Amino acid sequence: MKQYGAEFFGTFWLVLGGCGSAVLAAAFPDVGIGLLGVACAFGLTVLTMAFAIGHISGCHLNPAVSIGLWAGGRFPTNKLAPYIAAQVLGGIVAGGVLYLIASGKAGFDVSAGFASNGYGEHSPGGYGLLSALITEVVMTMMFLLVILGATDTRAPQGFAPIAIGLCLTLIHLISIPVTNTSVNPARSTAVAIYVGDWAVMQLWLFWLAPIVGAVLGAFVYKFLGGEESAD
């Protein structure tokens, strides 16, 4: 239960910190943090939580990461569903807290997006379904490749949170204009349910693509010489 609680609070922090920066601070008059600030915020949430709870739960904070680690032989099957449930629930609670904060400002309109992920007319840059699909699959694949490599027993010890946090920052720098960056079904669900309508209708992509990408990342790492074939 401590592991599941750690995943709950870790994902809560990721959504509150990452999506919160997008909703509350990205376009703040005159001193908005912009896309660069939002990208850094997502990376910082993972970096800080990896040091805070990595030794408790592994700090997955992401159903796709849990599935990718399972596919890579790093995570047991019996913990997969509870981890995913804790991550999604933590994200939804964080989305609720963010909604309560954001709705305190006059003129707030949740239908404007609320940091939801989307494609087509709901993509920040107007990118279509195929572009969004490719982006989310490839970005999540590379994320898992970095996670598996950085946490390999042969890698320099103690630096994995830095590599993983910076990788998530880079992923956001690349892909915010395309999909608003998901690579995390829990993060996508956490805000989509408050927007409803189009955000929920397009949510399927932000479950399917990250999971496919994560499994591909696990296979790629095994091919490159993961721990199982280190000899």
Side-chain angles (χ1 to χ4, degrees), residues 13-92:
W13 183 234
L14 182 144
V15 170
L16 188 62
C19 295
S21 70
V23 172
L24 304 175
F28 190 78
D30 301 327
V31 291
I33 62 174
L35 298 185
L36 176 59
V38 174
C40 289
F42 272 101
L44 288 170
T45 62
V46 171
L47 174 62
T48 53
M49 275 294 120
F51 280 114
I53 66 169
H55 55 287
I56 301 173
S57 69
C59 192
H60 299 184
L61 317 185
N62 182 338
V65 169
S66 295
I67 292 171
L69 291 173
W70 167 79
R74 300 271 196 92
F75 193 65
T77 302
N78 65 331
K79 290 185 179 180
L80 193 55
Y83 259 59
I84 292 173
Q87 292 155 1
V88 172
L89 184 58
I92 290 173

